[in-house]
Amino acid sequence: ALPRRAQDQVPVNRPFDSRAWRATAVGIAAAATLWMGAGFVLGVNPDEEEYRSAIPSTLLAARALAHGGFAFWTSDVALGVPQPFAQSLWMHPLMPLLAVLSVPVWVTLFYVVHLLLAAAGTWALARRLGASSLSTSMAVATFVMASPAQNYALTDFWPTVWLVYATVPLLLLALLTLLAAESPRPRLKAACGVGLTAGLIGANGHQGNLIVYIVPILAFLAMHARAVVRDWPWWLLAAIVAVLVAAPTIPHLAVEA
């Protein structure tokens, strides 16, 4: 067998990674993303479930921030803001824009941003796993146009669920990067990536998704227990970052539970 460095230098015949196929792959991924986005950019979602919970509480938070305040909501006051057991996007990075944008424009921007994150995250994840450019484009098209994506974005108005679905590819990419990192700087970047993506999901995503995604992620990490134990300081850093990002929602969830 060749030494590892020599193996890395052996040319691999990958016909679907030629320049023409790469351009085709990018076109396929872009077309699928644009087609999916047209559904909520040009159309109107008939549902209004989280318009009654997540959006009002996020709007109030944005208006409070615009006036120099920072509102923490609790169900101990009246009927609760947001409503008891309801989700909110008040910790989302796009939240401040709701003070200057109309609700429909902000909601469309929110969905578009997370659609692009889903497409980019899936592309980067598939390429990291060694998929050809054409296979990667198929992965992107499949993910952004899958039944759950159409349900969360086009059938039901569930922005807090759409956020989780669209962010998971980036979280998985960060997990794989941290598992494979062999020096401090890549490990630091990957640990922060894991913490930030997990924290974003924890702070803004629908908490019912914790059961859906956390169990398989923990099972995946259990299969790499040796690497996790070996690099435990970096995994601890990732956990600390995630908890700090999601910390403002933890008291609210404890009260609601």
Side-chain angles (χ1 to χ4, degrees):
L2 293 172
R4 184 172 181 180
R5 291 185 179 179
Q7 288 178 341
D8 293 341
Q9 294 173 1
V10 174
V12 179
N13 183 17
R14 303 182 69 177
F16 292 116
D17 270 333
S18 65
R19 181 175 298 180
W21 278 113
R22 283 200 300 269
T24 302
V26 171
I28 292 172
T33 304
L34 289 173
W35 183 258
M36 180 63 182
F40 49 78
V41 172
L42 302 178
V44 176
N45 193 310
D47 191 32
E48 39 69 55
E49 180 175 345
E50 289 199 3
Y51 269 117
R52 294 181 277 107
S53 55
I55 298 304
S57 58
T58 307
L59 178 62
L60 291 173
R63 289 178 175 175
L65 186 64
H67 290 86
F70 193 71
F72 289 88
W73 319 120
T74 173
S75 60
D76 292 336
V77 179
L79 296 178
V81 183
Q83 298 173 19
F85 299 100
Q87 306 299 310
S88 177
L89 298 169
W90 69 285
M91 287 294 296
H92 195 277
L94 294 178
M95 179 271 288
L97 294 178
L98 196 51
V100 296
L101 298 177
S102 67
V103 170
V105 171
W106 187 88
V107 167
T108 301
L109 175 64
F110 174 88
Y111 271 86
V112 168
V113 167
H114 281 282
L115 174 63
L116 295 177
L117 288 177
T122 305
W123 182 282
L125 177 60
R127 292 297 282 177
R128 181 168 187 85
L129 293 173
S132 68
S133 56
L134 186 61
S135 297
T136 297
S137 69
M138 294 295 101
V140 173
T142 300
F143 188 77
V144 301
M145 298 183 67
S147 296
Q150 295 186 43
N151 181 28
Y152 305 151
L154 303 179
T155 303
D156 296 306
F157 183 69
W158 290 343
T160 59
V161 182
W162 172 248
L163 175 147
V164 179
Y165 179 85
T167 310
V168 163
L170 291 173
L171 175 58
L172 184 54
L173 176 64
L175 290 171
L176 291 174
T177 303
L178 183 53
L179 285 171
E182 297 180 351
S183 58
R185 180 170 294 182
R187 286 171 177 166
L188 175 61
K189 292 180 179 179
C192 290
V194 171
L196 290 173
T197 50
L200 177 67
I201 291 172
N204 301 279
H206 195 289
Q207 302 305 317
N209 285 274
L210 295 179
I211 299 175
V212 177
Y213 291 103
I214 283 185
V215 172
I217 287 176
L218 291 178
F220 170 75
L221 292 178
M223 296 184 347
H224 300 83
R226 183 175 299 179
V228 174
V229 172
R230 180 195 64 206
D231 298 327
W232 70 267
W234 303 104
W235 290 98
L236 178 61
L237 173 62
I240 291 174
V241 172
V243 170
L244 289 177
V245 173
T249 65
I250 294 176
H252 171 71
L253 292 174
V255 170
E256 297 294 1

